[in-house]
């Protein structure tokens, strides 16, 4: 099932380490089939409060997402980002299709 690695980053200090991280991350994704779906950009806020950048990377499976994140190649560049950006990073699976909103009620019961 398709899985997304999602980062909501804020307080990003654009510096040499962040530039190096951005220059190297694509090569770490390639062996695991990771591809950017969203990578920052303008956000049109309709409700609530949002600040920072949203990054979404798609993988074919949760296993591939975990393998990428834990890979030596990604772990080698990860400190370049974590020293200069704050935020949350997590993975989440796509819902099975077709999906109806009320299906989440089954999980709550």
């Amino acid at each position: 099932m398709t899985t997304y690695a999602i980062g909501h980053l804020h307080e990003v200090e654009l510096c040499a380490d962040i530039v190096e991280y951005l220059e190297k991350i694509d090569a770490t994704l390639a062996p695991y089939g990771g591809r950017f779906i969203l990578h920052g950009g303008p956000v049109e806020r309709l409700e609530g409060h949002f600040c920072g950048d949203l990054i979404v990377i798609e993988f074919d499976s949760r296993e591939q997402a975990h393998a990428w994140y834990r890979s030596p190649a990604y772990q080698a560049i990860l400190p370049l980002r974590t020293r200069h950006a704050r935020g949350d990073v997590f993975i989440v699976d796509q819902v099975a299709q077709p999906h109806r909103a009320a299906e989440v009620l089954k999980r709550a019961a």
Side-chain angles (χ1 to χ4, degrees):
M1 174 173 290
T2 300
T3 296
Y4 301 96
I6 301 174
H8 175 207
L9 302 180
H10 45 89
E11 299 178 37
V12 178
E13 174 192 354
L14 190 55
C15 62
D17 280 354
I18 292 292
V19 170
E20 183 179 352
Y21 174 86
L22 292 171
E23 289 173 340
K24 292 183 174 181
I25 190 171
D26 292 311
T28 71
L29 293 168
Y32 305 96
R35 51 212 163 265
F36 284 99
I37 302 300
L38 298 174
H39 198 187
V43 172
E44 180 182 350
R45 185 173 46 86
L46 300 176
E47 296 180 23
H49 174 75
F50 183 88
C51 65
D53 294 306
L54 190 62
I55 297 94
V56 178
I57 303 170
E58 181 182 61
F59 293 89
D60 289 336
S61 68
R62 182 174 282 257
E63 293 76 23
Q64 286 178 306
H66 277 292
W68 162 73
Y69 188 84
R70 296 173 180 154
S71 71
Y74 187 66
Q75 289 297 307
I77 67 167
L78 182 58
L80 298 171
R81 177 181 56 78
T82 58
R83 286 193 300 255
H84 303 284
R86 306 287 173 262
D88 300 300
V89 176
F90 50 93
I91 63 171
V92 62
D93 294 331
Q94 176 180 314
V95 296
Q97 296 298 320
H99 176 80
R100 299 193 49 84
E103 290 179 30
V104 301
L105 299 173
K106 294 175 189 172
R107 293 189 302 232

